[in-house]
Amino acid sequence: MIVVTRLNDSQFAINPDLIERIHVNPDTTLVMVDGAKFIVTESLAEVIEKIAAYRAHVINLAYTSPHGSDGDHTASDPDTRPDAVVPLRPRRM
């Protein structure tokens, strides 16, 4: 969830995966996939940055255990570390 601010300075959290598009004319308007519209005080760039930070946070959580360590991955086996590069096999046509 990202936190944005209404024009009356009240804040609310919104699921960025449900934002269909963002308009600026002159206020920033979030248009949701269900057609709901929210006018917010943040700029287009600020909303996009919040969405990017949220998604980076979700990806980071996927690579760490709930206890803040790398789980059962060991430093001695680079193929099992979450940051190890795994080559993709070429697709056959």
PDB file of all heavy atoms in Angstrom, residues 22-39:
ATOM      1  N   ILE A  22      -3.018   7.652 -14.169  1.00  0.00           N
ATOM      2  CA  ILE A  22      -2.887   8.853 -13.357  1.00  0.00           C
ATOM      3  C   ILE A  22      -2.972  10.052 -14.301  1.00  0.00           C
ATOM      4  O   ILE A  22      -2.257  10.111 -15.303  1.00  0.00           O
ATOM      5  CB  ILE A  22      -1.541   8.873 -12.588  1.00  0.00           C
ATOM      6  CG1 ILE A  22      -1.399   7.613 -11.732  1.00  0.00           C
ATOM      7  CG2 ILE A  22      -1.433  10.118 -11.731  1.00  0.00           C
ATOM      8  CD1 ILE A  22      -0.021   7.437 -11.133  1.00  0.00           C
ATOM      9  N   HIS A  23      -3.861  10.991 -13.981  1.00  0.00           N
ATOM     10  CA  HIS A  23      -4.023  12.217 -14.779  1.00  0.00           C
ATOM     11  C   HIS A  23      -3.514  13.402 -13.975  1.00  0.00           C
ATOM     12  O   HIS A  23      -3.603  13.423 -12.754  1.00  0.00           O
ATOM     13  CB  HIS A  23      -5.501  12.478 -15.103  1.00  0.00           C
ATOM     14  CG  HIS A  23      -6.116  11.468 -15.994  1.00  0.00           C
ATOM     15  ND1 HIS A  23      -5.911  11.437 -17.340  1.00  0.00           N
ATOM     16  CD2 HIS A  23      -6.954  10.447 -15.714  1.00  0.00           C
ATOM     17  CE1 HIS A  23      -6.595  10.440 -17.867  1.00  0.00           C
ATOM     18  NE2 HIS A  23      -7.239   9.816 -16.896  1.00  0.00           N
ATOM     19  N   VAL A  24      -3.020  14.410 -14.687  1.00  0.00           N
ATOM     20  CA  VAL A  24      -2.646  15.675 -14.051  1.00  0.00           C
ATOM     21  C   VAL A  24      -3.281  16.789 -14.860  1.00  0.00           C
ATOM     22  O   VAL A  24      -2.921  17.013 -16.001  1.00  0.00           O
ATOM     23  CB  VAL A  24      -1.107  15.857 -14.012  1.00  0.00           C
ATOM     24  CG1 VAL A  24      -0.750  17.171 -13.352  1.00  0.00           C
ATOM     25  CG2 VAL A  24      -0.449  14.704 -13.295  1.00  0.00           C
ATOM     26  N   ASN A  25      -4.270  17.484 -14.243  1.00  0.00           N
ATOM     27  CA  ASN A  25      -4.952  18.545 -14.976  1.00  0.00           C
ATOM     28  C   ASN A  25      -5.691  19.502 -14.062  1.00  0.00           C
ATOM     29  O   ASN A  25      -6.913  19.510 -14.095  1.00  0.00           O
ATOM     30  CB  ASN A  25      -5.882  17.949 -16.021  1.00  0.00           C
ATOM     31  CG  ASN A  25      -6.913  16.998 -15.443  1.00  0.00           C
ATOM     32  OD1 ASN A  25      -6.856  16.608 -14.299  1.00  0.00           O
ATOM     33  ND2 ASN A  25      -7.878  16.627 -16.262  1.00  0.00           N
ATOM     34  N   PRO A  26      -5.204  20.383 -13.299  1.00  0.00           N
ATOM     35  CA  PRO A  26      -3.847  20.480 -12.777  1.00  0.00           C
ATOM     36  C   PRO A  26      -3.623  19.577 -11.566  1.00  0.00           C
ATOM     37  O   PRO A  26      -2.485  19.330 -11.193  1.00  0.00           O
ATOM     38  CB  PRO A  26      -3.726  21.942 -12.383  1.00  0.00           C
ATOM     39  CG  PRO A  26      -5.094  22.323 -11.951  1.00  0.00           C
ATOM     40  CD  PRO A  26      -6.019  21.523 -12.859  1.00  0.00           C
ATOM     41  N   ASP A  27      -4.716  19.075 -10.939  1.00  0.00           N
ATOM     42  CA  ASP A  27      -4.541  18.204  -9.777  1.00  0.00           C
ATOM     43  C   ASP A  27      -4.247  16.776 -10.234  1.00  0.00           C
ATOM     44  O   ASP A  27      -4.698  16.340 -11.298  1.00  0.00           O
ATOM     45  CB  ASP A  27      -5.809  18.195  -8.910  1.00  0.00           C
ATOM     46  CG  ASP A  27      -6.107  19.554  -8.311  1.00  0.00           C
ATOM     47  OD1 ASP A  27      -5.151  20.238  -7.913  1.00  0.00           O
ATOM     48  OD2 ASP A  27      -7.294  19.929  -8.255  1.00  0.00           O
ATOM     49  N   THR A  28      -3.503  16.069  -9.416  1.00  0.00           N
ATOM     50  CA  THR A  28      -3.181  14.675  -9.718  1.00  0.00           C
ATOM     51  C   THR A  28      -4.383  13.812  -9.365  1.00  0.00           C
ATOM     52  O   THR A  28      -4.863  13.826  -8.235  1.00  0.00           O
ATOM     53  CB  THR A  28      -1.955  14.219  -8.909  1.00  0.00           C
ATOM     54  OG1 THR A  28      -0.883  15.133  -9.145  1.00  0.00           O
ATOM     55  CG2 THR A  28      -1.529  12.826  -9.301  1.00  0.00           C
ATOM     56  N   THR A  29      -4.878  13.068 -10.343  1.00  0.00           N
ATOM     57  CA  THR A  29      -6.047  12.215 -10.160  1.00  0.00           C
ATOM     58  C   THR A  29      -5.661  10.772 -10.417  1.00  0.00           C
ATOM     59  O   THR A  29      -5.153  10.438 -11.487  1.00  0.00           O
ATOM     60  CB  THR A  29      -7.184  12.628 -11.118  1.00  0.00           C
ATOM     61  OG1 THR A  29      -7.477  14.007 -10.926  1.00  0.00           O
ATOM     62  CG2 THR A  29      -8.433  11.803 -10.876  1.00  0.00           C
ATOM     63  N   LEU A  30      -5.912   9.920  -9.422  1.00  0.00           N
ATOM     64  CA  LEU A  30      -5.682   8.484  -9.569  1.00  0.00           C
ATOM     65  C   LEU A  30      -6.986   7.863 -10.046  1.00  0.00           C
ATOM     66  O   LEU A  30      -8.026   8.010  -9.399  1.00  0.00           O
ATOM     67  CB  LEU A  30      -5.277   7.858  -8.238  1.00  0.00           C
ATOM     68  CG  LEU A  30      -4.136   8.520  -7.461  1.00  0.00           C
ATOM     69  CD1 LEU A  30      -3.888   7.766  -6.159  1.00  0.00           C
ATOM     70  CD2 LEU A  30      -2.889   8.595  -8.296  1.00  0.00           C
ATOM     71  N   VAL A  31      -6.938   7.181 -11.169  1.00  0.00           N
ATOM     72  CA  VAL A  31      -8.116   6.484 -11.690  1.00  0.00           C
ATOM     73  C   VAL A  31      -7.888   5.000 -11.455  1.00  0.00           C
ATOM     74  O   VAL A  31      -6.922   4.415 -11.951  1.00  0.00           O
ATOM     75  CB  VAL A  31      -8.333   6.784 -13.186  1.00  0.00           C
ATOM     76  CG1 VAL A  31      -9.571   6.068 -13.698  1.00  0.00           C
ATOM     77  CG2 VAL A  31      -8.431   8.282 -13.430  1.00  0.00           C
ATOM     78  N   MET A  32      -8.793   4.399 -10.692  1.00  0.00           N
ATOM     79  CA  MET A  32      -8.654   2.999 -10.310  1.00  0.00           C
ATOM     80  C   MET A  32      -9.279   2.083 -11.367  1.00  0.00           C
ATOM     81  O   MET A  32     -10.055   2.537 -12.212  1.00  0.00           O
ATOM     82  CB  MET A  32      -9.316   2.763  -8.944  1.00  0.00           C
ATOM     83  CG  MET A  32      -8.885   3.762  -7.876  1.00  0.00           C
ATOM     84  SD  MET A  32      -7.108   3.886  -7.644  1.00  0.00           S
ATOM     85  CE  MET A  32      -6.803   2.319  -6.867  1.00  0.00           C
ATOM     86  N   VAL A  33      -8.944   0.799 -11.309  1.00  0.00           N
ATOM     87  CA  VAL A  33      -9.468  -0.142 -12.299  1.00  0.00           C
ATOM     88  C   VAL A  33     -10.987  -0.267 -12.216  1.00  0.00           C
ATOM     89  O   VAL A  33     -11.631  -0.609 -13.210  1.00  0.00           O
ATOM     90  CB  VAL A  33      -8.798  -1.529 -12.179  1.00  0.00           C
ATOM     91  CG1 VAL A  33      -7.329  -1.464 -12.528  1.00  0.00           C
ATOM     92  CG2 VAL A  33      -9.000  -2.129 -10.808  1.00  0.00           C
ATOM     93  N   ASP A  34     -11.585   0.024 -11.060  1.00  0.00           N
ATOM     94  CA  ASP A  34     -13.041  -0.055 -10.934  1.00  0.00           C
ATOM     95  C   ASP A  34     -13.721   1.266 -11.298  1.00  0.00           C
ATOM     96  O   ASP A  34     -14.936   1.405 -11.159  1.00  0.00           O
ATOM     97  CB  ASP A  34     -13.438  -0.486  -9.523  1.00  0.00           C
ATOM     98  CG  ASP A  34     -13.102   0.541  -8.451  1.00  0.00           C
ATOM     99  OD1 ASP A  34     -12.464   1.566  -8.767  1.00  0.00           O
ATOM    100  OD2 ASP A  34     -13.468   0.302  -7.279  1.00  0.00           O
ATOM    101  N   GLY A  35     -12.948   2.260 -11.759  1.00  0.00           N
ATOM    102  CA  GLY A  35     -13.502   3.537 -12.175  1.00  0.00           C
ATOM    103  C   GLY A  35     -13.488   4.607 -11.096  1.00  0.00           C
ATOM    104  O   GLY A  35     -13.765   5.772 -11.389  1.00  0.00           O
ATOM    105  N   ALA A  36     -13.187   4.238  -9.851  1.00  0.00           N
ATOM    106  CA  ALA A  36     -13.112   5.229  -8.773  1.00  0.00           C
ATOM    107  C   ALA A  36     -11.985   6.215  -9.073  1.00  0.00           C
ATOM    108  O   ALA A  36     -10.967   5.856  -9.671  1.00  0.00           O
ATOM    109  CB  ALA A  36     -12.876   4.545  -7.436  1.00  0.00           C
ATOM    110  N   LYS A  37     -12.183   7.465  -8.652  1.00  0.00           N
ATOM    111  CA  LYS A  37     -11.175   8.506  -8.871  1.00  0.00           C
ATOM    112  C   LYS A  37     -10.835   9.157  -7.546  1.00  0.00           C
ATOM    113  O   LYS A  37     -11.726   9.432  -6.741  1.00  0.00           O
ATOM    114  CB  LYS A  37     -11.692   9.564  -9.850  1.00  0.00           C
ATOM    115  CG  LYS A  37     -11.929   9.033 -11.237  1.00  0.00           C
ATOM    116  CD  LYS A  37     -12.442  10.115 -12.155  1.00  0.00           C
ATOM    117  CE  LYS A  37     -12.698   9.537 -13.541  1.00  0.00           C
ATOM    118  NZ  LYS A  37     -13.219  10.558 -14.452  1.00  0.00           N
ATOM    119  N   PHE A  38      -9.545   9.398  -7.344  1.00  0.00           N
ATOM    120  CA  PHE A  38      -9.069  10.055  -6.137  1.00  0.00           C
ATOM    121  C   PHE A  38      -8.169  11.208  -6.541  1.00  0.00           C
ATOM    122  O   PHE A  38      -7.195  11.005  -7.276  1.00  0.00           O
ATOM    123  CB  PHE A  38      -8.290   9.087  -5.246  1.00  0.00           C
ATOM    124  CG  PHE A  38      -9.098   7.915  -4.776  1.00  0.00           C
ATOM    125  CD1 PHE A  38      -8.991   6.686  -5.402  1.00  0.00           C
ATOM    126  CD2 PHE A  38      -9.968   8.034  -3.706  1.00  0.00           C
ATOM    127  CE1 PHE A  38      -9.727   5.607  -4.978  1.00  0.00           C
ATOM    128  CE2 PHE A  38     -10.721   6.956  -3.270  1.00  0.00           C
ATOM    129  CZ  PHE A  38     -10.605   5.738  -3.915  1.00  0.00           C
ATOM    130  N   ILE A  39      -8.470  12.411  -6.067  1.00  0.00           N
ATOM    131  CA  ILE A  39      -7.622  13.577  -6.314  1.00  0.00           C
ATOM    132  C   ILE A  39      -6.678  13.698  -5.121  1.00  0.00           C
ATOM    133  O   ILE A  39      -7.119  13.706  -3.972  1.00  0.00           O
ATOM    134  CB  ILE A  39      -8.461  14.848  -6.494  1.00  0.00           C
ATOM    135  CG1 ILE A  39      -9.393  14.685  -7.691  1.00  0.00           C
ATOM    136  CG2 ILE A  39      -7.558  16.067  -6.682  1.00  0.00           C
ATOM    137  CD1 ILE A  39     -10.386  15.823  -7.864  1.00  0.00           C
TER     138      ILE A  39
END
